């Protein structure tokens, strides 16, 4: 039986649990997360090394009975040894405390002892663990934040690829480009790393609702009729709802909020709410400019991309109208700086689609000396 590796978390997190374990004289405290992207953390006493088999944990987390532990605190006295839930040999007492994140049951803390315990002692440890979860429960998610983000990024990349590679190559390409530009602009305004990662995700997801838009409208060459345009505008609501469902870990609902604002304009003439200036989040304003930027820089089947000088002129023209004036200035600086490397698709290492000339190329974006290059499968 292969022993499960005890995952490493920030020291203080583990230390606090170990303190609680010692204080109450129990043999094991384990934290089970039902979200696959999160690790299982086991704190156990040195004289009781735990060797869960991976299979045990897997079966345990999959069994519907586990759901019982996701909603209510439960204790078991004189636990029958043969039960499938017994994780420690000769266990006499077990406790399950649900972990709830954003009203969403996400796992449970399991405590076990080889000695019997009275109700008073049980209450004491429940109180300490609940206090701990209150203080660290959310932090727990953020400890694993980069893991969640990385996995989510891959999931989203696959998702949008599945959704758009057949329906609209242009949209698929556009999504990556907007994410890239948003992140670049975000860097200049000095957003921290976590926010940048979320902004990148918002870029990937901003048009995801287009999957519900009629393909004939989505892929129409040239201008949309007024009616078609009204239909197209609905993608913002669709995107918002999809992102809200996807981003259950996003406690402030930031990503969904930024996404719903990507067609708002600085002067209040955008949609869906007609928000203006500071009513729009900085990230919403960044997405707006990134979105327009890519629309101008990308080739369409019916027109060539705008030359860079024309793009710059257009951004200056829309400064204070569509765009936050400060962001517009910073973007113009960025474009002048990037002039050299334009034509390369920069971004993260991701499966990507590139439309160049007549051809559609699938490949990956790979980091190369400070920027990313697109490496086509067909080269
Ligand atoms: Fe959009
Ligand atoms: Fe867009």
């Amino acid at each position: 039986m292969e022993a499960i590796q005890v995952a490493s978390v920030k020291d203080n997190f583990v230390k606090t649990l170990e303190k609680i374990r010692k204080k109450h004289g129990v043999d094991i405290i384990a934290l089970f997360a039902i979200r696959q992207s999160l690790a299982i953390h086991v704190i156990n006493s040195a004289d009781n090394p735990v060797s869960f088999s991976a299979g045990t944990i897997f079966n345990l987390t999959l069994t519907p009975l586990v759901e019982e532990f996701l909603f209510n605190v439960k204790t078991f006295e004189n636990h029958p040894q043969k039960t499938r839930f017994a994780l420690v040999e000769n266990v006499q007492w077990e406790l399950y405390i649900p972990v709830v994140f954003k009203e969403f049951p996400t796992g449970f803390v399991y405590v076990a002892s080889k000695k019997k315990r009275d109700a008073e002692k049980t209450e004491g440890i429940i109180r300490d663990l609940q206090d701990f979860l209150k203080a660290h429960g959310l932090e727990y998610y953020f400890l694993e934040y980069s893991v969640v983000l990385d996995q989510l990024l891959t999931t989203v990349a696959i998702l949008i690829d599945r959704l758009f590679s057949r329906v609209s190559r242009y949209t698929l390409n556009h999504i990556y480009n907007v994410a890239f530009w948003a992140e670049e602009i975000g860097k200049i305004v000095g957003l921290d790393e976590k926010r940048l990662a979320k902004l990148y995700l918002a870029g990937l997801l901003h048009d995801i609702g287009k999957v519900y838009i009629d393909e004939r409208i989505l892929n129409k060459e040239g201008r949309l009729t007024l009616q078609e345009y009204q239909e197209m505008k609905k993608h913002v609501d669709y995107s918002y709802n999809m992102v809200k469902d996807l981003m259950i870990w996003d406690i402030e609902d930031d990503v969904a909020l930024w996404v719903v604002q990507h067609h708002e304009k600085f002067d209040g003439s955008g949609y869906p709410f007609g928000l203006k200036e500071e009513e729009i989040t900085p990230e919403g304003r960044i997405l707006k400019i990134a979105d327009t930027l890519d629309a101008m820089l990308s080739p369409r089947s019916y027109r060539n991309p705008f030359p860079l000088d024309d793009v710059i002129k257009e951004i200056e023209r829309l400064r204070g109208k569509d765009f936050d004036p400060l962001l517009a200035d910073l973007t113009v600086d960025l474009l002048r700086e990037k002039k050299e490397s334009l034509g390369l698709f920069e971004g993260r290492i991701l499966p990507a689609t590139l439309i160049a000339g007549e051809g559609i190329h699938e490949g990956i974006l790979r980091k190369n000396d400070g920027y990313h290059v697109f490496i086509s499968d067909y080269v």
Side-chain angles (χ1 to χ4, degrees):
M1 270 201 326
E2 202 186 315
I4 274 226
Q5 270 215 309
V6 177
S8 65
V9 279
K10 272 187 187 160
D11 281 354
N12 63 349
F13 185 81
V14 178
K15 272 184 199 148
T16 316
L17 272 184
E18 174 60 7
K19 249 188 232 161
I20 297 175
R21 192 194 66 74
K22 275 194 180 147
K23 177 181 165 191
H24 294 278
V26 291
D27 293 297
I28 175 168
I29 296 182
L31 180 55
F32 291 88
I34 56 165
R35 310 271 301 279
Q36 280 186 350
S37 56
L38 301 170
I40 293 164
H41 304 294
V42 179
I43 316 297
N44 62 293
S45 64
D47 53 335
N48 280 301
V50 184
S51 62
F52 293 145
S53 73
T56 309
I57 303 278
F58 197 59
N59 288 334
L60 185 85
T61 52
L62 283 185
T63 173
L65 282 170
V66 165
E67 284 178 14
E68 252 190 276
F69 310 126
L70 297 177
F71 298 101
N72 300 301
V73 173
K74 282 211 174 358
T75 52
F76 293 91
E77 309 283 346
N78 301 319
H79 206 299
Q81 295 307 304
K82 285 196 182 95
T83 172
R84 58 205 293 191
F85 297 131
L87 297 179
V88 184
E89 269 183 75
N90 304 319
V91 63
Q92 292 297 320
W93 173 92
E94 286 174 302
L95 168 68
Y96 296 84
I97 300 175
V99 179
V100 176
F101 177 69
K102 283 186 80 178
E103 296 175 14
F104 184 82
T106 52
F108 55 87
V109 176
Y110 170 82
V111 190
S113 168
K114 293 180 176 181
K115 283 182 232 128
K116 291 186 178 159
R117 304 176 68 81
D118 58 29
E120 203 181 306
K121 275 190 177 166
T122 299
E123 240 171 66
I125 192 164
I126 291 174
R127 216 178 307 121
D128 278 1
L129 282 169
Q130 282 180 331
D131 286 349
F132 166 78
L133 288 173
K134 226 189 246 164
H136 297 274
L138 297 182
E139 193 187 326
Y140 167 70
Y141 276 80
F142 292 112
L143 289 177
E144 301 295 328
Y145 198 85
S146 59
V147 178
V148 176
L149 274 184
D150 280 358
Q151 298 208 355
L152 200 63
L153 204 61
T154 314
T155 308
V156 165
I158 294 167
L159 181 72
I160 55 180
D161 199 74
R162 294 276 187 284
L163 291 177
F164 291 111
S165 60
R166 191 184 52 82
V167 178
S168 169
R169 291 279 178 182
Y170 170 76
T171 306
L172 185 62
N173 210 45
H174 167 72
I175 282 165
Y176 284 112
N177 295 344
V178 170
F180 164 71
W181 287 117
E183 192 184 34
E184 287 297 304
I185 300 166
K187 272 186 216 158
I188 319 175
V189 279
L191 298 183
D192 67 37
E193 221 166 280
K194 195 168 97 178
R195 221 147 174 88
L196 281 175
K198 281 171 84 165
L199 181 59
Y200 190 86
L201 264 172
L204 290 186
L205 291 164
H206 80 284
D207 274 343
I208 196 167
K210 282 190 177 169
V211 76
Y212 289 114
I213 303 295
D214 191 317
E215 279 179 43
R216 280 164 302 185
I217 298 176
L218 195 59
N219 294 322
K220 187 177 175 185
E221 300 192 355
R223 271 192 177 276
L224 300 176
T225 64
L226 190 62
Q227 202 186 356
E228 288 167 340
Y229 181 58
Q230 295 300 341
E231 193 57 34
M232 183 67 128
K233 277 163 115 180
K234 291 183 188 162
H235 80 276
V236 174
D237 290 331
Y238 300 144
S239 291
Y240 176 73
N241 287 319
M242 287 175 83
V243 172
K244 265 198 92 125
D245 288 346
L246 272 170
M247 302 282 145
I248 45 171
W249 53 273
D250 184 16
I251 189 149
E252 278 116 20
D253 287 331
D254 284 327
V255 177
L257 186 65
W258 306 339
V259 162
V260 82
Q261 294 177 345
H262 81 267
H263 284 291
E264 297 288 359
K265 294 180 182 176
F266 196 73
D267 65 4
S269 66
Y271 65 92
F273 303 116
L275 301 178
K276 64 174 195 312
E277 300 174 17
E278 263 78 63
E279 290 168 358
I280 315 165
T281 59
E283 289 81 358
R285 282 176 258 156
I286 292 174
L287 283 175
K288 169 68 191 158
I289 202 163
D291 190 53
T292 315
L293 189 56
D294 178 61
M296 293 190 283
L297 283 171
S298 290
R300 301 300 302 256
S301 53
Y302 51 90
R303 66 151 174 77
N304 289 324
F306 287 28
L308 191 63
D309 289 340
D310 290 2
V311 173
I312 290 175
K313 264 186 224 147
E314 188 65 2
I315 292 174
E316 282 167 344
R317 187 179 72 81
L318 295 171
R319 181 186 188 280
K321 292 177 186 151
D322 286 19
F323 310 135
D324 177 328
L326 178 70
L327 286 178
D329 294 344
L330 292 172
T331 305
V332 168
D333 293 346
L334 175 73
L335 287 176
R336 291 205 168 108
E337 248 172 60
K338 290 254 171 217
K339 214 169 172 173
E340 300 286 297
S341 60
L342 269 182
L344 288 179
F345 273 63
E346 300 185 26
R348 297 179 187 210
I349 301 166
L350 283 168
T353 307
L354 170 72
I355 301 175
E358 302 286 305
I360 293 164
H361 310 275
E362 285 176 342
I364 53 160
L365 295 168
R366 181 168 287 167
K367 197 156 196 184
N368 178 28
D369 238 359
Y371 44 81
H372 287 74
V373 288
F374 180 85
I375 298 164
S376 168
D377 285 342
Y378 307 116
V379 169

